[in-house]
Amino acid sequence: MQRIYLDANATTPVLPEIVDAMRPFWSESFGNPSSAHHSGQRTRAAVEDARTSVARLLNGTPREVVFTSGGTESDNLALFGILQPYLDRREPAHLITSQIEHHAVLYAAHFLQARGIEVTYLAPNADGVIDPSALEAALRPHTKLVSIMLANNETGVIQPVGKLARIAKAFSPSILVHTDAVQAAAKLPIDVSGELKNVDLLAISGHKMYAPQGTGILFVRKGVQLTPLFHGGPHERQRRAGTENVPGIVALGCASELALRWLSSEAPDDLRALTIRLEDGLSTAVPDTHINGSTLHRTPNTTNLRFDGVDAESLLIALDMQGISASFGAACQSGATEPSHVLLAMGLTPTAARSSLRLSLSRLTTAAEIDHALAIIPAAVARLRSASL
Ligand code: PLP
């Protein structure tokens, strides 16, 4: 059976070029980058080369790149790194985030809230976009951090983070701004010296950009003081203790170089065209299909579709049996019966949210695979609908 992977927002395969780049760093060049001897210096050079590549992807400087174990750690390092000191100081502190964040931000915010940090969770509009006027209304004299994601993992909707950051800084230059860019990196250009110049912290995960799981990056703008999550050695300029994951870091560097090349080619337009072909094909072939979220500002690879009267969990199982891997939201929610918090926040009813399916394409998805999916999905939806009559 042909298997078609339409769940790239959950994870991506590691590209062969990236596997090749990593390979020498397990058994040949295995030194600890903190060691002064030749073996250590070789891996140190590889780590610093990777840092330069990541900095190029973001248009930042290498010193601003902190390597972590993934998107979750990067988000936690940003939120706790800024707000933890206020837990001890008994000084009022306010965090503004949104209802549509990934749980890596949302649950970190809940934890901080339970320890006394005031938290405002901005609601999106029906298109899944955080309205800048909502941020304007929420800012307080004691607001310390604003954390709004760059692109949503479930809908692909892009948030106006550049504008939100400008609003926060205009209110008070001391407010720091974090963005979870896990679903935006390597899909959209990111410029921390241009549109995102008011963003102080930016999280990326390796396994959403063709590097391995368990690798990540936090961009920390020069001058931002961060309290580390881990205590130990002076790695990563005192911001993240622990011996570096050298093969993983090399992979992030290589993934950044490949992403830069990909972004400057026609490939993002081609990927968007494939996503739209899938979306249009399904909307035409399946009656009562709706697109969740804005189609104007979206990552090129994601569509979130609602099939009225269909239980998405049953649909996912049916599709999996026919070789199609999809999802109904965040991968870590799979198996959970709770409807998507993102779709609920956008105003969908629990039933509508439970009828929604996320299809996310990768750089490797082909037109033939989309056509095959278009031959399978409408029939699967029709079967489920007739079974529930
Ligand atoms: N943020 C977003 C938007 C995500 O989609 C994910 C993963 O799905 C994460 C954070 C967590 O990243 P990681 O799996 O690398 O911990």
Side-chain angles (χ1 to χ4, degrees):
M1 181 176 39
Q2 187 186 355
R3 284 220 70 91
I4 300 176
Y5 185 74
L6 296 176
D7 201 14
N9 284 8
T11 200
T12 51
V14 181
L15 293 176
E17 300 93 309
I18 297 180
V19 174
D20 287 346
M22 295 170 76
R23 196 171 283 118
F25 293 95
W26 276 294
S27 304
E28 281 167 49
S29 297
F30 57 85
N32 184 325
S34 299
S35 298
H37 52 60
H38 176 78
S39 299
Q41 291 319 295
R42 242 188 107 188
T43 48
R44 167 59 54 205
V47 166
E48 297 315 318
D49 283 351
R51 202 185 300 283
T52 302
S53 298
V54 172
R56 263 171 31 82
L57 178 67
L58 305 178
N59 201 18
T61 62
R63 296 162 74 100
E64 294 171 313
V65 173
V66 177
F67 290 115
T68 68
S69 69
T72 300
E73 185 189 330
S74 296
D75 283 332
N76 274 264
L77 181 54
L79 267 68
F80 285 88
I82 300 305
L83 293 170
Q84 195 163 273
Y86 295 97
L87 299 179
D88 308 327
R89 271 188 229 158
R90 295 171 181 275
E91 180 189 334
H94 179 219
L95 162 68
I96 302 177
T97 183
S98 82
Q99 296 175 5
I100 58 168
E101 298 297 310
H102 187 270
H103 286 139
V105 167
L106 218 44
Y107 288 171
H110 290 178
F111 185 95
L112 287 161
Q113 190 174 20
R115 297 288 185 288
I117 303 287
E118 188 185 336
V119 184
T120 302
Y121 300 92
L122 301 178
N125 63 21
D127 280 339
V129 181
I130 304 298
D131 192 330
S133 63
L135 173 65
E136 234 158 2
L139 288 161
R140 303 274 177 274
H142 61 293
T143 304
K144 305 294 177 198
L145 182 67
V146 172
S147 176
I148 306 288
M149 69 198 327
L150 198 45
N152 184 267
N153 43 308
E154 298 191 26
T155 61
V157 171
I158 300 167
Q159 304 303 324
V161 172
K163 189 166 185 188
L164 297 171
R166 280 195 293 281
I167 290 171
K169 296 286 182 189
F171 185 85
S172 166
S174 67
I175 296 177
L176 296 174
V177 178
H178 167 57
T179 189
D180 174 339
V182 166
Q183 294 291 348
K187 292 177 188 148
L188 310 167
I190 292 183
D191 186 354
V192 296
S193 306
E195 173 62 13
L196 300 183
K197 68 175 186 295
N198 289 309
V199 168
D200 302 285
L201 301 140
L202 182 146
I204 295 180
S205 170
H207 74 107
K208 316 290 186 178
M209 53 183 275
Y210 310 90
Q213 293 151 358
T215 61
I217 297 151
L218 183 66
F219 162 82
V220 183
R221 191 172 293 284
K222 186 168 180 273
V224 171
Q225 291 300 315
L226 205 63
T227 302
L229 285 180
F230 302 158
H231 301 277
H235 309 88
E236 299 295 299
R237 296 178 182 272
Q238 322 270 358
R239 294 170 295 190
R240 203 274 186 180
T243 301
E244 298 86 342
N245 168 5
V246 177
I249 288 171
V250 167
L252 286 168
C254 184
S256 299
E257 294 292 341
L258 293 175
L260 274 170
R261 237 179 285 157
W262 185 84
L263 286 166
S264 62
S265 72
E266 308 275 296
D269 290 340
D270 295 344
L271 179 57
R272 189 177 297 281
L274 269 191
T275 306
I276 289 172
R277 176 163 165 176
L278 177 62
E279 191 172 79
D280 286 352
L282 290 175
S283 302
T284 308
V286 184
D288 300 318
T289 299
H290 314 270
I291 300 168
N292 293 322
S294 162
T295 53
L296 276 182
H297 303 288
R298 237 181 357 173
T299 48
N301 77 317
T302 308
T303 177
N304 193 309
L305 295 167
R306 190 166 86 243
F307 303 110
D308 287 346
V310 170
D311 172 43
E313 201 169 347
S314 309
L315 179 59
L316 279 180
I317 295 167
L319 293 180
D320 194 33
M321 281 164 52
Q322 291 186 272
I324 296 184
S325 304
S327 134
F328 48 53
C332 42
Q333 272 173 237
S334 302
T337 47
E338 286 300 300
S340 149
H341 70 280
V342 174
L343 299 180
L344 293 182
M346 287 162 59
L348 270 69
T349 63
T351 307
R354 283 200 179 91
S355 306
S356 299
L357 184 73
R358 176 184 76 182
L359 298 165
S360 50
L361 285 61
S362 86
R363 279 184 216 163
L364 306 178
T365 308
T366 64
E369 287 177 324
I370 294 303
D371 290 343
H372 194 66
L374 283 171
I376 289 175
I377 301 174
V381 172
R383 267 197 306 277
L384 284 172
R385 277 185 178 155
S386 60
S388 67
L389 285 180

